[in-house]
């Protein structure tokens, strides 16, 4: 009877220990670091491919399924620091976890650099950013993280191409657009009173400036929100920006 009483008395302590252990494990797995919003970054594939050599990579062409803007990443971010990164070094990328999404990934989140493994970009994005996004239920594991970014890219409401085309800004080998026109189109479409971040690159052969990326800020409920003022674009106001067609990504004249 005495022995049984001792075991009963130990149970609450053991329960507390287990609860604390599980809580600590959950924190470690989620990579819970303080962050306030997402940056949803999307590439224009012809520009990225043109700029590949500048990043010491090789891109000889675009995969046939690629038809529009593709995902670069979904990045947990703080206002006071550029990005929250590498939240859990023990949570390794596992390609089998996203096998059901592979066709979508190859279309909407492809790795265009032929000198790297086809999973290279996904591995990098999960390790650097996905492990931090895991502190949010909607993106709390590898599958959910990639699924969420793919779903955002597939929705017209988040599609830069729709935003630009609504204001007459269409891919062309001969027509360039001002930074002001591009920002105005994006701001009006996404109903913002401050600019989004746009990234430009220079075509090495011709010296033409290309629109390469658009970054939008998303709340933790995945609504477009104001980009912090310290997030500057690298396209200068004087730039005349080209958006080359996917069907003719080099536009050599």
């Amino acid at each position: 009877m005495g022995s049984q009483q001792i075991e009963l008395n130990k149970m609450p302590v053991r329960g507390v220990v287990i609860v604390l252990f599980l809580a600590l494990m959950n924190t470690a797995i989620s990579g819970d670091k303080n962050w306030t919003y997402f940056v949803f970054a999307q590439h224009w594939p012809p520009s990225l491919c043109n700029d590949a050599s500048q990043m010491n990579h090789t891109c000889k062409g675009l995969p046939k399924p690629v038809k529009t803007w593709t995902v670069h990443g979904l990045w947990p971010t703080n206002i006071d620091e550029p990005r929250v990164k590498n939240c859990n070094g023990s949570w390794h990328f596992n390609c089998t976890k996203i096998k059901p999404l592979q066709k979508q990934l190859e279309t909407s989140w492809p790795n265009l650099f032929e000198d790297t493994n086809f999973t290279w970009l996904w591995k990098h994005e999960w390790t650097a950013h996905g492990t931090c996004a895991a502190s949010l239920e909607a993106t709390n594991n590898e599958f959910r993280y990639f699924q969420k970014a793919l779903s955002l890219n597939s929705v017209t409401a988040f599609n830069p191409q729709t935003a630009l085309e609504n204001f007459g800004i269409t891919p062309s080998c001969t027509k360039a657009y001002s930074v002001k026109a591009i920002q105005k189109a994006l701001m009006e479409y996404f109903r913002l009173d401050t600019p989004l971040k746009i990234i430009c690159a220079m075509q090495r052969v011709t010296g033409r400036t290309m629109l390469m990326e658009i970054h939008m800020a998303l709340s933790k409920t995945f609504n477009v929100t104001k980009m912090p003022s310290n997030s500057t674009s690298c396209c200068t106001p004087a730039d005349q920006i080209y958006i080359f067609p996917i069907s003719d990504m080099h536009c050599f004249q």
Side-chain angles (χ1 to χ4, degrees), residues 30 35 38-41 71-77 83-86 91 93 97-98 101 105 109 121-153 222:
S30 69
W35 55 277
F38 283 108
V39 169
F40 183 44
V71 179
H72 181 179
L74 184 63
W75 306 327
T77 307
R83 264 171 235 132
V84 180
K85 285 186 178 182
N86 304 312
W91 199 350
F93 175 75
K97 300 288 185 183
I98 55 172
L101 301 173
L105 287 164
W109 201 337
L121 177 60
W122 308 332
K123 179 180 179 180
H124 167 76
E125 293 300 320
W126 168 253
T127 303
H129 308 290
T131 54
C132 302
S135 62
L136 192 69
E137 186 177 358
T139 50
N140 67 358
N141 60 42
E142 189 178 321
F143 181 85
R144 284 187 170 187
Y145 173 72
F146 285 97
Q147 184 183 50
K148 174 55 73 173
L150 288 170
S151 70
L152 293 171
N153 179 256
F222 302 99

Side-chain angles (χ1 to χ4, degrees), residues 15 43 68 80 88 95 97 107 137 146 169 179 209 223 230 235 245 248:
H43 278 138
T68 186
D80 299 329
N88 189 342
C95 194
K97 300 288 185 183
T107 300
E137 186 177 358
F146 285 97
I169 299 174
V179 172
T209 301
N223 294 311
N230 64 350
C235 309
D248 188 5

